[in-house]
Amino acid sequence: MTTTSITLHETPRVRRLLSLADDALILGHRTSEWAGHAPLLEEELALANIALDLIGQARALYAEAGNESGHTEDQLAYLRDPQQFRNALIMELPNGDFAFTIARLLLVSAASDLVWQTTLDEPDRALAAIAAKAGKETAYHLRHAAEWLIRLGDGTDESHQRAQSAIDRLWPYTGELFATSAERDAWNAVVEPIVTRATLQRPADGWMQSGGRSGRHTEHLGHLLAEMQVLPRTYPGAIW
Amino acid sequence: MMPLWEVFIRSRNGLAHKHVGSVHAADATMALQAARDVYTRRGEGLSIWVVPSVAITASDPADRDTLFEPTGSKIYRHPTFYQVPDDVGHM
């Protein structure tokens, strides 16, 4: 094994697998940052479970991408530079407060849930099999985040204000989650009733951030990867 | 502090729900989610009940002798005089 970054020949299928895998890994890593910091023990475990689900999804997708590109899961996770990551920008944003974490989990899970549902019927049977497992996990993430957002939005003045501020800041990052307007419409149909029940204002669809899918990331991804990759890059081939 | 809920989990069809512990949660829905996240991480459950801890009326430990001691000497209440065939499972 080498510490230098790998170069990757991205076929359309590899690129698609990496988009899904990088979304899951980066959000999984962010979610895992709550370990030891969650507002209560029960939520600590809930967030750890979600992080582990996401990292598990990433592993299955990396394994599949690796079959085609000739790399291992670890190489794909640990030996790529920020420009080679295909995740949407929303995944790499720092956790912020609990409301921001929950609001992001809701917006992302609602999109992922739809992706897994449509992927179930794919002719790509390997991907469909991953979708079958991931879909059940993501459906729970969506439910968990929705229940929390409803309570934060419809809770105290402070929790309402924090939840609204989170939704407002996250909204411009949601455009990158969809390839078509039909996908966005389907997502809106899931998200809007939850936002309404949470007594929050749905932000207007204005200018949308993009760039993650083509490797143009925020400054936050480099810091995240530095922390995530330092061990395998410093001690090549290290094992437990 | 949020209200306390007692958690009961049924691990298999045909078995009774068993008390496994408690969680803090603002309401019943969140208590159910918390119970799922805290107590079924290793495939322990098929069904969860959550009950507000305040809804449970408990016996007083000081009454232990009065309540339970008298049964100690009544061995004829135990069905230990029957042969149970080996292939009878749970009884």
Side-chain angles (χ1 to χ4, degrees), chain A residues 1 6 9 12-13 28 30 37 51 63 85 89 129 134 136 140 148 151 153 155 160 164 183 199 211-212 224:
Chain A
M1 197 189 269
I6 55 172
H9 175 62
R13 181 168 183 268
R30 277 291 184 231
H37 304 279
F85 272 76
L89 301 176
K136 296 187 189 86
Y140 184 78
W148 261 120
R151 283 158 182 79
H160 177 89
Q164 184 66 57
E183 285 176 16
T199 71
L224 183 154

mmCIF file of all heavy atoms in Angstrom, chain A residues 1 6 9 12-13 28 30 37 51 63 85 89 129 134 136 140 148 151 153 155 160 164 183 199 211-212 224:
data_model
loop_
_atom_site.group_PDB
_atom_site.id
_atom_site.type_symbol
_atom_site.label_atom_id
_atom_site.label_comp_id
_atom_site.label_asym_id
_atom_site.label_seq_id
_atom_site.Cartn_x
_atom_site.Cartn_y
_atom_site.Cartn_z
ATOM 1 N N MET A 1 0.848 -1.197 0.000
ATOM 2 C CA MET A 1 0.000 0.000 0.000
ATOM 3 C C MET A 1 0.884 1.247 0.000
ATOM 4 O O MET A 1 1.995 1.220 0.485
ATOM 5 C CB MET A 1 -0.919 0.002 1.228
ATOM 6 C CG MET A 1 -2.085 0.961 1.084
ATOM 7 S SD MET A 1 -2.992 1.117 2.630
ATOM 8 C CE MET A 1 -4.205 -0.180 2.411
ATOM 9 N N ILE A 6 -4.553 7.809 -4.809
ATOM 10 C CA ILE A 6 -4.773 6.958 -5.974
ATOM 11 C C ILE A 6 -5.300 7.795 -7.129
ATOM 12 O O ILE A 6 -5.878 8.872 -6.928
ATOM 13 C CB ILE A 6 -5.790 5.830 -5.672
ATOM 14 C CG1 ILE A 6 -7.110 6.408 -5.141
ATOM 15 C CG2 ILE A 6 -5.211 4.832 -4.694
ATOM 16 C CD1 ILE A 6 -8.219 5.395 -4.993
ATOM 17 N N HIS A 9 -9.927 5.756 -12.632
ATOM 18 C CA HIS A 9 -10.635 5.900 -13.903
ATOM 19 C C HIS A 9 -12.123 5.781 -13.607
ATOM 20 O O HIS A 9 -12.621 4.714 -13.257
ATOM 21 C CB HIS A 9 -10.203 4.819 -14.897
ATOM 22 C CG HIS A 9 -10.996 4.853 -16.161
ATOM 23 N ND1 HIS A 9 -10.990 5.946 -17.003
ATOM 24 C CD2 HIS A 9 -11.837 3.958 -16.708
ATOM 25 C CE1 HIS A 9 -11.799 5.713 -18.028
ATOM 26 N NE2 HIS A 9 -12.326 4.514 -17.874
ATOM 27 N N PRO A 12 -18.957 5.970 -15.896
ATOM 28 C CA PRO A 12 -20.193 6.547 -15.360
ATOM 29 C C PRO A 12 -20.730 5.763 -14.162
ATOM 30 O O PRO A 12 -21.228 6.344 -13.202
ATOM 31 C CB PRO A 12 -21.161 6.470 -16.550
ATOM 32 C CG PRO A 12 -20.284 6.499 -17.756
ATOM 33 C CD PRO A 12 -19.022 5.774 -17.361
ATOM 34 N N ARG A 13 -20.578 4.428 -14.206
ATOM 35 C CA ARG A 13 -21.098 3.629 -13.094
ATOM 36 C C ARG A 13 -20.265 3.859 -11.830
ATOM 37 O O ARG A 13 -20.820 3.988 -10.729
ATOM 38 C CB ARG A 13 -21.094 2.143 -13.458
ATOM 39 C CG ARG A 13 -21.651 1.249 -12.365
ATOM 40 C CD ARG A 13 -21.904 -0.171 -12.843
ATOM 41 N NE ARG A 13 -22.507 -0.982 -11.800
ATOM 42 C CZ ARG A 13 -21.816 -1.718 -10.936
ATOM 43 N NH1 ARG A 13 -20.496 -1.740 -10.994
ATOM 44 N NH2 ARG A 13 -22.436 -2.427 -10.002
ATOM 45 N N GLY A 28 -21.884 10.234 7.292
ATOM 46 C CA GLY A 28 -21.649 9.291 8.392
ATOM 47 C C GLY A 28 -20.549 9.786 9.318
ATOM 48 O O GLY A 28 -20.671 9.722 10.539
ATOM 49 N N ARG A 30 -19.547 12.941 9.697
ATOM 50 C CA ARG A 30 -20.056 14.112 10.429
ATOM 51 C C ARG A 30 -20.957 13.665 11.584
ATOM 52 O O ARG A 30 -20.839 14.176 12.708
ATOM 53 C CB ARG A 30 -20.876 15.004 9.479
ATOM 54 C CG ARG A 30 -20.053 15.955 8.635
ATOM 55 C CD ARG A 30 -19.427 17.051 9.477
ATOM 56 N NE ARG A 30 -18.702 18.030 8.663
ATOM 57 C CZ ARG A 30 -17.453 18.408 8.898
ATOM 58 N NH1 ARG A 30 -16.774 17.906 9.906
ATOM 59 N NH2 ARG A 30 -16.877 19.316 8.136
ATOM 60 N N HIS A 37 -20.873 13.944 22.525
ATOM 61 C CA HIS A 37 -21.343 15.328 22.602
ATOM 62 C C HIS A 37 -22.851 15.485 22.476
ATOM 63 O O HIS A 37 -23.351 16.595 22.478
ATOM 64 C CB HIS A 37 -20.683 16.170 21.501
ATOM 65 C CG HIS A 37 -19.197 16.140 21.524
ATOM 66 N ND1 HIS A 37 -18.439 16.918 22.381
ATOM 67 C CD2 HIS A 37 -18.305 15.397 20.826
ATOM 68 C CE1 HIS A 37 -17.158 16.665 22.185
ATOM 69 N NE2 HIS A 37 -17.043 15.751 21.256
ATOM 70 N N ALA A 51 -24.854 6.951 12.160
ATOM 71 C CA ALA A 51 -23.522 7.075 11.571
ATOM 72 C C ALA A 51 -23.018 5.716 11.097
ATOM 73 O O ALA A 51 -22.465 5.584 9.995
ATOM 74 C CB ALA A 51 -22.552 7.678 12.595
ATOM 75 N N ALA A 63 -17.105 -1.012 -2.055
ATOM 76 C CA ALA A 63 -16.700 -2.355 -2.490
ATOM 77 C C ALA A 63 -17.126 -2.570 -3.942
ATOM 78 O O ALA A 63 -16.368 -3.113 -4.756
ATOM 79 C CB ALA A 63 -17.333 -3.408 -1.578
ATOM 80 N N PHE A 85 -13.476 13.607 -4.311
ATOM 81 C CA PHE A 85 -14.715 13.215 -3.635
ATOM 82 C C PHE A 85 -15.916 13.772 -4.385
ATOM 83 O O PHE A 85 -15.884 14.905 -4.873
ATOM 84 C CB PHE A 85 -14.700 13.674 -2.170
ATOM 85 C CG PHE A 85 -14.057 12.654 -1.266
ATOM 86 C CD1 PHE A 85 -12.680 12.510 -1.228
ATOM 87 C CD2 PHE A 85 -14.833 11.804 -0.499
ATOM 88 C CE1 PHE A 85 -12.088 11.548 -0.430
ATOM 89 C CE2 PHE A 85 -14.251 10.840 0.312
ATOM 90 C CZ PHE A 85 -12.869 10.706 0.337
ATOM 91 N N LEU A 89 -22.272 18.963 -1.367
ATOM 92 C CA LEU A 89 -21.669 19.861 -0.373
ATOM 93 C C LEU A 89 -22.378 19.805 0.978
ATOM 94 O O LEU A 89 -21.764 19.990 2.025
ATOM 95 C CB LEU A 89 -21.686 21.307 -0.899
ATOM 96 C CG LEU A 89 -20.954 21.556 -2.219
ATOM 97 C CD1 LEU A 89 -21.141 23.007 -2.657
ATOM 98 C CD2 LEU A 89 -19.465 21.229 -2.092
ATOM 99 N N ALA A 129 -29.390 -4.492 -4.748
ATOM 100 C CA ALA A 129 -29.264 -5.228 -3.481
ATOM 101 C C ALA A 129 -28.814 -4.289 -2.358
ATOM 102 O O ALA A 129 -29.292 -4.389 -1.224
ATOM 103 C CB ALA A 129 -28.274 -6.377 -3.639
ATOM 104 N N ALA A 134 -30.032 -0.601 2.379
ATOM 105 C CA ALA A 134 -29.880 0.797 2.784
ATOM 106 C C ALA A 134 -31.230 1.487 2.930
ATOM 107 O O ALA A 134 -31.405 2.363 3.775
ATOM 108 C CB ALA A 134 -28.999 1.535 1.773
ATOM 109 N N LYS A 136 -34.052 0.452 4.089
ATOM 110 C CA LYS A 136 -34.682 0.257 5.408
ATOM 111 C C LYS A 136 -34.015 1.155 6.450
ATOM 112 O O LYS A 136 -34.676 1.720 7.317
ATOM 113 C CB LYS A 136 -34.574 -1.204 5.837
ATOM 114 C CG LYS A 136 -35.327 -2.163 4.930
ATOM 115 C CD LYS A 136 -35.324 -3.581 5.506
ATOM 116 C CE LYS A 136 -35.886 -4.582 4.517
ATOM 117 N NZ LYS A 136 -34.853 -5.095 3.575
ATOM 118 N N TYR A 140 -35.618 4.784 8.444
ATOM 119 C CA TYR A 140 -35.614 5.081 9.877
ATOM 120 C C TYR A 140 -34.938 6.423 10.164
ATOM 121 O O TYR A 140 -35.400 7.191 11.019
ATOM 122 C CB TYR A 140 -34.932 3.965 10.676
ATOM 123 C CG TYR A 140 -35.029 4.235 12.159
ATOM 124 C CD1 TYR A 140 -36.216 3.988 12.847
ATOM 125 C CD2 TYR A 140 -33.981 4.803 12.860
ATOM 126 C CE1 TYR A 140 -36.341 4.285 14.190
ATOM 127 C CE2 TYR A 140 -34.089 5.105 14.205
ATOM 128 C CZ TYR A 140 -35.270 4.835 14.866
ATOM 129 O OH TYR A 140 -35.392 5.149 16.202
ATOM 130 N N TRP A 148 -37.862 14.556 15.369
ATOM 131 C CA TRP A 148 -37.106 15.567 16.115
ATOM 132 C C TRP A 148 -37.384 16.971 15.570
ATOM 133 O O TRP A 148 -37.572 17.920 16.345
ATOM 134 C CB TRP A 148 -35.596 15.296 16.038
ATOM 135 C CG TRP A 148 -35.047 14.604 17.244
ATOM 136 C CD1 TRP A 148 -34.429 13.403 17.279
ATOM 137 C CD2 TRP A 148 -35.072 15.073 18.600
ATOM 138 N NE1 TRP A 148 -34.060 13.086 18.573
ATOM 139 C CE2 TRP A 148 -34.442 14.095 19.396
ATOM 140 C CE3 TRP A 148 -35.572 16.226 19.224
ATOM 141 C CZ2 TRP A 148 -34.287 14.228 20.777
ATOM 142 C CZ3 TRP A 148 -35.421 16.357 20.608
ATOM 143 C CH2 TRP A 148 -34.791 15.374 21.363
ATOM 144 N N ARG A 151 -40.556 18.424 16.762
ATOM 145 C CA ARG A 151 -40.524 18.841 18.166
ATOM 146 C C ARG A 151 -39.658 20.072 18.385
ATOM 147 O O ARG A 151 -39.949 20.904 19.250
ATOM 148 C CB ARG A 151 -40.046 17.674 19.037
ATOM 149 C CG ARG A 151 -41.172 16.666 19.238
ATOM 150 C CD ARG A 151 -40.668 15.295 19.605
ATOM 151 N NE ARG A 151 -41.783 14.357 19.729
ATOM 152 C CZ ARG A 151 -42.389 13.783 18.693
ATOM 153 N NH1 ARG A 151 -41.999 14.054 17.453
ATOM 154 N NH2 ARG A 151 -43.398 12.965 18.874
ATOM 155 N N GLY A 153 -39.100 22.436 16.020
ATOM 156 C CA GLY A 153 -39.806 23.557 15.403
ATOM 157 C C GLY A 153 -41.001 23.989 16.237
ATOM 158 O O GLY A 153 -41.278 25.185 16.391
ATOM 159 N N GLY A 155 -41.407 23.543 19.404
ATOM 160 C CA GLY A 155 -41.017 23.453 20.810
ATOM 161 C C GLY A 155 -40.969 24.809 21.482
ATOM 162 O O GLY A 155 -41.960 25.531 21.515
ATOM 163 N N HIS A 160 -37.349 26.666 18.121
ATOM 164 C CA HIS A 160 -37.991 27.045 16.853
ATOM 165 C C HIS A 160 -37.055 27.922 16.017
ATOM 166 O O HIS A 160 -36.860 27.683 14.824
ATOM 167 C CB HIS A 160 -39.293 27.800 17.124
ATOM 168 C CG HIS A 160 -39.974 28.291 15.870
ATOM 169 N ND1 HIS A 160 -40.888 27.527 15.182
ATOM 170 C CD2 HIS A 160 -39.837 29.449 15.170
ATOM 171 C CE1 HIS A 160 -41.299 28.190 14.101
ATOM 172 N NE2 HIS A 160 -40.684 29.368 14.078
ATOM 173 N N GLN A 164 -35.478 26.929 12.428
ATOM 174 C CA GLN A 164 -35.740 27.747 11.234
ATOM 175 C C GLN A 164 -34.433 28.229 10.608
ATOM 176 O O GLN A 164 -34.253 28.173 9.387
ATOM 177 C CB GLN A 164 -36.618 28.955 11.608
ATOM 178 C CG GLN A 164 -37.020 29.803 10.401
ATOM 179 C CD GLN A 164 -37.943 29.043 9.449
ATOM 180 O OE1 GLN A 164 -38.996 28.580 9.853
ATOM 181 N NE2 GLN A 164 -37.527 28.879 8.197
ATOM 182 N N GLU A 183 -37.470 14.659 -9.525
ATOM 183 C CA GLU A 183 -36.922 14.160 -8.256
ATOM 184 C C GLU A 183 -37.146 15.187 -7.149
ATOM 185 O O GLU A 183 -37.520 14.844 -6.022
ATOM 186 C CB GLU A 183 -35.413 13.899 -8.395
ATOM 187 C CG GLU A 183 -35.068 12.637 -9.174
ATOM 188 C CD GLU A 183 -33.567 12.468 -9.377
ATOM 189 O OE1 GLU A 183 -32.780 13.147 -8.675
ATOM 190 O OE2 GLU A 183 -33.193 11.678 -10.245
ATOM 191 N N THR A 199 -44.101 23.709 12.186
ATOM 192 C CA THR A 199 -44.440 25.146 12.232
ATOM 193 C C THR A 199 -43.304 26.015 11.711
ATOM 194 O O THR A 199 -43.120 27.142 12.147
ATOM 195 C CB THR A 199 -44.837 25.619 13.652
ATOM 196 O OG1 THR A 199 -43.671 25.640 14.488
ATOM 197 C CG2 THR A 199 -45.890 24.723 14.281
ATOM 198 N N GLY A 211 -21.285 21.924 -7.005
ATOM 199 C CA GLY A 211 -19.845 21.759 -7.175
ATOM 200 C C GLY A 211 -19.320 20.466 -6.573
ATOM 201 O O GLY A 211 -18.306 19.934 -7.013
ATOM 202 N N GLY A 212 -20.021 19.962 -5.556
ATOM 203 C CA GLY A 212 -19.534 18.765 -4.876
ATOM 204 C C GLY A 212 -19.383 17.570 -5.794
ATOM 205 O O GLY A 212 -18.382 16.839 -5.723
ATOM 206 N N LEU A 224 -12.097 17.765 7.239
ATOM 207 C CA LEU A 224 -12.724 16.488 7.608
ATOM 208 C C LEU A 224 -11.849 15.320 7.153
ATOM 209 O O LEU A 224 -11.577 14.387 7.912
ATOM 210 C CB LEU A 224 -14.117 16.407 6.965
ATOM 211 C CG LEU A 224 -14.980 15.182 7.284
ATOM 212 C CD1 LEU A 224 -16.463 15.536 7.142
ATOM 213 C CD2 LEU A 224 -14.660 13.995 6.391
#
